[in-house]
Amino acid sequence: EQVHVPTWPRLTPQELQEYSIEKHRLDSFDMDPTTLSSNVLCHLCLEIFVLLHIPEHLAMHDGRLKRFILAVREHMYDNPYHSWFHVFDVCQTAYALGLKLGIIDRLGPWQRFGLMTACLSHDLEHPGVSGPFLAQAGGALAAAFKDQILEKHHALRAFEVMVDREVGLLNGVSTEEYFSFRKIVDATILATDVQKHKHFTDLVVVRETLHRNMAAAGAPPPECDHLDLQ
């Protein structure tokens, strides 16, 4: 399926005012995306990538990021919860949380890019029902994936959108960069499976204990790994 990418939205005077206020709150937990227009959220999403120095560090023209943001918005269905507003909320919350926990500072450019890209596309084309429901109901998605039906669908479609000729997000990247980036995005999206929640919260407790013990011993924190991203 070819991806449709609309024109990057020009903000109205009211939207510009909202954007100028909200862009200074991207690092907080006080933002409510549902009070903002879809177009303002596009601009704020781009601002997050710019604040993370993605275009600068990866020599990536922001036109690619704009096309990807718009493509994701176009492929989010009008669900009560799993919508464009939801994925922006996840992206902004992950950005704010990563800053406050010091995780962002420990990530390299490709890891930052992978994390934010995964946040933005983690529910791409969500049908509005759960994975277990799809497994019981059958259908094309259930036939395509044995487990983690939705998460695997989101991850697959995310990369199909990224490499679509109308988007070209990853144009020019090396094979090594592509597969390293894809590993980050795939793992992060698959980690959003609610049935994996307890597994990851248990790992967080283990990691927190490790950090506390290392800090008490005066040792530097360990290098960032998949757990920090997920």
Side-chain angles (χ1 to χ4, degrees):
E1 180 185 355
Q2 187 172 353
V3 176
H4 170 65
V5 181
T7 304
W8 184 251
R10 296 184 62 180
L11 301 182
T12 66
Q14 176 63 34
E15 289 175 329
L16 279 171
Q17 184 178 14
E18 292 175 353
Y19 169 75
S20 65
I21 294 172
E22 297 297 330
K23 73 177 183 178
H24 298 295
R25 301 173 61 191
L26 287 170
D27 61 351
S28 77
F29 301 122
D30 299 325
M31 183 178 291
D32 180 2
T34 63
T35 65
L36 303 171
S37 74
S38 174
N39 288 343
V40 169
L41 297 186
C42 286
H43 284 257
L44 290 172
C45 189
L46 179 63
E47 181 70 12
I48 291 175
F49 282 102
V50 171
L51 288 171
L52 290 172
H53 305 289
I54 299 302
E56 172 189 349
H57 289 164
L58 300 184
M60 180 176 294
H61 193 276
D62 65 4
R64 294 192 211 169
L65 292 170
K66 289 178 179 179
R67 292 193 296 272
F68 177 65
I69 291 168
L70 290 171
V72 170
R73 184 178 70 166
E74 289 295 299
H75 285 259
M76 291 304 303
Y77 300 150
D78 188 21
N79 296 314
Y81 182 75
H82 296 98
S83 64
W84 167 242
F85 295 90
H86 165 65
V87 295
F88 172 83
D89 185 40
V90 170
C91 189
Q92 184 270 322
T93 301
Y95 171 72
L97 188 63
L99 287 177
K100 293 185 183 299
L101 295 180
I103 293 175
I104 294 295
D105 291 336
R106 295 167 54 207
L107 299 179
W110 279 103
Q111 290 175 313
R112 296 181 184 188
F113 185 38
L115 174 60
M116 289 300 113
T117 303
C119 288
L120 196 60
S121 54
H122 81 279
D123 272 337
L124 199 65
E125 296 181 348
H126 198 293
V129 296
S130 68
F133 176 88
L134 290 174
Q136 290 292 325
L141 286 180
F145 307 108
K146 292 182 179 179
D147 59 0
Q148 293 191 280
I149 296 171
L150 284 175
E151 292 73 26
K152 289 180 178 179
H153 171 68
H154 301 322
L156 174 63
R157 288 296 291 139
F159 277 89
E160 287 179 343
V161 168
M162 289 181 214
V163 302
D164 188 274
R165 65 182 182 180
E166 296 297 320
V167 179
L169 182 66
L170 303 178
N171 287 354
V173 305
S174 68
T175 301
E176 181 180 358
E177 289 170 334
Y178 172 83
F179 283 107
S180 177
F181 172 73
R182 181 155 192 167
K183 183 178 180 180
I184 293 170
V185 175
D186 283 345
T188 305
I189 292 178
L190 293 180
T192 65
D193 184 351
V194 68
Q195 296 184 62
K196 304 288 185 181
H197 180 71
K198 187 178 186 306
H199 168 72
F200 285 109
T201 55
D202 289 345
L203 288 178
V204 168
V205 172
V206 172
R207 172 52 62 91
E208 176 62 24
T209 302
L210 174 63
H211 281 203
R212 190 181 301 113
N213 292 342
M214 294 183 71
E223 292 185 4
C224 178
D225 61 16
H226 70 283
L227 180 56
D228 290 304
L229 291 171
Q230 295 163 344

